[in-house]
Amino acid sequence: QVQLVESGGGLVQAGGSLRLSCAASGSIFSFISMGWYRQAPGKQRELVAVITRGGTTNYPDSVKGRFTISRDNVQDTVYLQMNSLKPEDTAVYYCAAFDGLGSYWGQGTQVTVSS
């Protein structure tokens, strides 16, 4: 069974940076794509960044230019580098992986950005 474990969340001031990590229990190369999502209180979960097996990335306008997703196929880990953080980035961040059978989710890590 696939397990995803996020780490790296915390409290940071506006304008600061954090790097989230998502460690998979198996080879991440087996996944068609992996992504980061976030959910703020009272809001729907939204996509933050996605990276395909081939390395193609995509971001919504809200984080484009500030967030960068990357993957390490040797360490079986996906990262989310978050720069120029804003209070509206405050949310629980989830790692997800997708293959031909379904989707897998981590437990989430809290990111809080103070103004």
Side-chain angles (χ1 to χ4, degrees), residues 6-79:
E6 302 100 332
S7 61
L11 174 64
V12 64
Q13 288 189 330
S17 299
L18 282 175
R19 188 177 80 155
L20 306 183
S21 300
C22 172
S25 58
S27 173
I28 64 172
F29 194 74
S30 65
F31 300 125
I32 297 171
S33 64
M34 296 188 71
W36 287 93
Y37 291 72
R38 67 186 180 189
Q39 187 166 20
K43 294 189 176 181
Q44 289 188 329
R45 190 171 296 190
E46 62 176 354
L47 174 68
V48 174
V50 64
I51 186 167
T52 68
R53 181 186 292 156
T56 300
T57 59
N58 197 25
Y59 309 89
D61 288 343
S62 58
V63 306
K64 195 173 294 183
R66 299 188 298 122
F67 291 10
T68 303
I69 188 171
S70 61
R71 57 191 295 160
D72 185 331
N73 292 333
V74 175
Q75 298 293 327
D76 293 318
T77 301
V78 173
Y79 302 97

Side-chain angles (χ1 to χ4, degrees), residues 61-113:
D61 288 343
S62 58
V63 306
K64 195 173 294 183
R66 299 188 298 122
F67 291 10
T68 303
I69 188 171
S70 61
R71 57 191 295 160
D72 185 331
N73 292 333
V74 175
Q75 298 293 327
D76 293 318
T77 301
V78 173
Y79 302 97
L80 183 68
Q81 178 67 43
M82 305 186 294
N83 299 326
S84 303
L85 283 161
K86 305 175 181 180
E88 52 263 43
D89 294 319
T90 295
V92 178
Y93 283 69
Y94 298 90
C95 176
F98 305 90
D99 63 17
L101 299 176
S103 60
Y104 311 91
W105 294 83
Q107 298 281 6
T109 184
Q110 176 71 45
V111 171
T112 302
V113 184

